[in-house]
Each structure stands twice: as C-alpha cells, then as structure tokens.
Amino acid sequence: MTATESRSAGRRPAQLVDMSWDPITRIIGNLGIYTKIDFANREVVQCHSTSSLFRGYSVFMKGKDPRDAGFITSRICGICGDNHTTCSNYAQQMAYGIKPPPLAEHITNLGEAAEYMFDHTIFQDNLVFVDFCEAMVKTTNPTVLARAEKTQAPRGHLHGYRTIADIMRAFNPFEGEIYKESLKISRITREMFCLMEGRHVHPSTLYPGGVGTQPTPTLFTDYLTRLLRVMDFIKQAVHLNDDVFDFFYQALPGYEEVGRRRTLLACWGAFQNPDICDYRYDTMNTWGQAMHVTPGIIVDGQLLTNKLVDINLGLRILLGSSYYDDWTTPHPHPGDAGHELFVTHDPLGNPIDPRHPWNQTTLPAPQKRDFHGNYSWVMSPRWHHPTTGEDLALDTGGGPLARLWSTALNARVHTPYVQATGTSVDITLPKSEKLPETTLQWHIPKWSNTIERDRARPYFVAYAAAMALHFLEQAQHLIHTGETRTFTNFTVPDEAIGCGFHEAVRGVLSHHLVIKDKKIANYHPYPPTPWNASPRDHHGTPGPYEDAVQNQPLFEENGPDDFKGIDIMRTVRSFDPCLPCGVHMYTGNGKTLTTLHTPTYGPQTHA
C-alpha cells in the first residue's frame, strides 16, 4: 500500500515507459530511482529507490573502545560528520552518567548552528536550485520561463531582483550571482564551524564530557563578526525562495501534488538546553522537550508525541526489501548467535523490541537486485504507533520541514530571537549591513510536498542564525561570570547502555550504544537517509522517496524521447539525499583489495 492517494478521474489508456536515474546526480553516486511512467496521464505509476553499497559501521564498531565512537562515526559521512560526533557524544554521556559544563553545550550548539547554515546554503543554492534555475526551466518548461520573464518578483524591493526569471538566472550554475555568492557564504559559515569544533567536517574538539575548544572572548567575537557578515544573505534568501516557490504554484496549478505524501514527519530535536539537560534516560522526556528544536512525531498534521522515551521505544528496524538476513530468526547463520537480545528493558523497565536498534545485528546477504524481492542495501526504519499498531514510514521533510513543523506545533521554544506559536515559527534577525531588523514567519503549510520541503530550508538557516545569537549571548555571560569549564571527567563503566537523539542537517539522527566489559558490544547509528531512502518493508509500505515520487503528476513539457524527469528529481532532492549515511562498502569475508596509486592527471602525464 502507499500513503498517497491515486488520482483516477478522467484517465486515458496508459502509455507506460520504464525510466531510471542511476546514479542520481549532484549527490554521492549510490542512489538509483527506477520508475514506470504513464506519459498518457502524465504521472509516475511506480517507483523503487535503490542503493548499491552496504552500510557497515554497525559491524566494525563492535569491540572498539566506546570513547572512540564519536571520532569513528564522524567518518560515516563527509558532509555531516559533526552531527554524528555530537550524537555519539550524547549517547556516551548517557552511558557514562555525565553532563558537560554549560559552556561546552553552548560551544557545541554554536558549531552545529554553523553546520546547518553552511550545509543548507550550499545544498539549496548550488544543488537544489539547479532544478529551478533559468537554464533548467528553459529546457524542461519553456512556457513557464516565458511567464517568469513577465512576472514581477513580489519581494524584489528586499532582494533586488525585478522578475522571477531574473532570480532564476541568478541561480544558473557557475555564472549566476546567487550561485557564486552562496559559495562565499558557505566559506564564512564553515569558518564559524571551525572556530567551535576545530575542523570541518570531522571535528577535532568534541568529546564525550565536553569540548577542547578554548573559550576566549575573542572566540565568540570572531564567530559573531562572521555571523553578521552573512545576515543580509540569509534574510534575502528567504524572500528569494518564497518568490520562486509561490510562482511555481501559480504558474503550474496542481504543482502542490508533486512530491506530496501523507504528513508523517519525524524530528528528534536539536540544540540541548544545558539548564535542563542531564542526559539521564529517566529524565529524557523533560530535557528532550527543553531542546531549542523541539522533538516530535507528526501524523496527519497532528503532534502525536514529543517524548523522547516514547520515540525511542517505537523504533523498529525492518528488513523488508533489503539485502540482509533477519537477526530475529533463530540461528540465521549456522553457529551465529545473531538473535541475541542485548537489551530486554530500558532503564525505566519498558520492554525493548527485538527489532530496536539496541538489539539489531547486521547480517549482510549480497544478492541480485529484484524489484519483486530485495533491491537495496538500505534497511527500512519504521516507528511503531502504540495505538494503531502501524509501522509508520516517517520522513524528515529534508530536515527543516520536520524541525520547523514540530517546533511550531509544540510552541515550547521562546528566546529573544525565536518564538514558536503553535501555528508558526517567528524568527527575528537584527539589523545588518543592508537590511533592518527583520522578523521572518514560517507558517505550517497545507502539504508535505516537494516545494514545502525546499521552502523550509532557507527558513531554517535563519532559525539557526537566530539561535546562534542566543547561544553567543549565553556563552559570553558564562565567560563574564567566570564559568569557563568545558569538560567533565568520567570513567567508562563495565556495562551500560546509552542513546543519543539529534538532528543531522537532513533530519533525524540517533545513536544506540551497548557497552560490555568496557567495550562496544553493539552500536547502531540511524541517520535520516535510511528513513527517507528505505525500500518497501515487509508490509509492502514504500519508503518516503518511493511514496513521494509514486503517483505524483508530471509537469515537464518534454515527451519520452527527451524527458529529463525534472519533477522527479526535484522531489528526490527535496529530501536532501545523502547516501553515505545509508550505505558503505561491503567486500565479503577475506577478500583482498589491491590499491593502485595514479598521478592526479593520469599516468600519461607522469614522466
């Protein structure tokens, strides 16, 4: 079954064509999208999301010193490695029974805020907007571009572009003004990150228990001066995006159906509040609700829960159509105790399911791809609804959509710069070089679709900038009062469990840790990509990529012979796909690899 309803009125006899995009470009090349397209009715009738490499960190983490977990797991991804380090440290701090000093938390939050600003900017302006730029729209929807040439940009007085087509031209790759400017902004925000976390993207100053960053007044001043330099760009980006996305709704009636799926959003929360957070499992609901991005599971637009304990208990890792043996089956391999339950109950006495990450054992089973059977190395994470018994295929909305939606509904975040109202998130940014103090309002949208996933991204950049101002003020206050500690010492226990909940750039991130004999007995990181890119589970429920693409209408003007699949690509990229977090190389037992070193420009240039 799918979560998106089919459209059946006025249908023509189907004209089905098999089309695939493998690999999807502009991301690491492991994601494939395979579709059946009905050109007579201009819609996608079937979609499968595949991934061609195996995820292996859960295998080789076993036996390691748990203190190394943050440094190892940051290598899961060359894009959001710091998110993994941060989340790993959260899990370790629970296991060790420690809490970092408040200043360390603010430094970590400042680093993560800079990462959100950096990553979302470069992805939105240099990758996503290639699908909306003049060069692309001219190729796929020339009539839309002709209308854009004649359409005044409603917010032109704020961002400086006269027409919608002018904005589209500014996003043309390598030539457009915004495209080039965003690269400069990304450099500045990366510098901000490095001030707090040492290096990008694998932080060198984040540890369980705190940070190694030296908290000098100059540190925070250097961060602030860079933040103020990018403030005009952040404000203008929101207005630019709103103008383009509003135009697409107007120029292409029905475009809200592109990438639309049932609203099943997940947010695990971000930006710890050191006044509340103590990393104890038995108080996790309280400190989770105090995060500066509020956790929540949203079903059909309603907040189902904001309690991290409930979120944790509902986690299920289903195999579905993935290339793995089932560890819950007794003796899946001869002599293999893969069905061992590492954790039977949580610290509050709640039973833990065998398919929970604490109990997962990864048993890779390489095989030929079969869309009627198994076809992906990505598993199928689901969340078990405690009332209905459904295993929900939650998605992250690309990260920002779920974060803003959950924060808005919870109405718990109230700082001088961010106010969550129940229906919106109000973000106030101070006066900058060109623009006055500005309040941006993100309102809960009607749909969870392609446009709204993309629209939320620049708003969350503004959100991260606003929260960074708050964290700077808090950190500087601690410095002025002499609270300069940044580390809490600890010892590794003989046995313990821990879980960390955080938001990677593109959505939910959890790390689950089991320690035995002071070593890692089990470790499972679950980033957003396995949630979003998951294949069909054993219920037949498609993963979010598949569900969002399947049954969506097509507005591209090209026919089968020169079809670009632009509406499909916009939908997939709206989730901010990042396959390194979903898959890793598997070579089998005992296989020897030979590494050859070749000069940069090939052997023919080497004398």
Side-chain angles (χ1 to χ4, degrees), residues 155 158-159 235-244 438 440:
R155 301 166 183 84
L158 296 170
H159 55 63
K235 295 173 184 176
Q236 291 171 331
V238 170
H239 301 309
L240 286 162
N241 280 256
D242 277 341
D243 276 357
V244 172
T438 303
L440 305 166

Side-chain angles (χ1 to χ4, degrees), residues 79-80 82-83 86 90 108-124 186 189 193 197 200 223 267 269-271 293 398-400 403 457-458 460-465 467 471 501-509 576:
I79 300 171
C80 55
D82 64 288
N83 302 143
T86 300
Y90 290 168
T108 300
N109 286 344
L110 285 166
E112 296 303 274
E115 172 66 9
Y116 293 134
M117 287 183 266
F118 158 76
D119 197 319
H120 283 323
T121 295
I122 202 167
F123 182 74
Q124 185 82 346
S186 295
T189 49
F193 175 94
E197 299 194 19
H200 193 275
Y223 187 103
C267 172
F271 298 143
V293 170
R403 288 196 284 270
R457 200 166 288 117
F460 195 78
V461 172
Y463 188 105
M467 289 310 310
F471 301 140
F501 289 95
H502 186 37
E503 284 285 306
V505 175
R506 45 209 47 83
V508 296
L509 175 60
D576 196 348

Side-chain angles (χ1 to χ4, degrees), residues 45-60:
V45 299
Q46 190 179 86
C47 177
H48 291 86
S49 170
T50 72
S51 189
S52 57
L53 292 178
F54 163 61
R55 173 177 182 74
Y57 274 75
S58 57
V59 176
F60 60 72

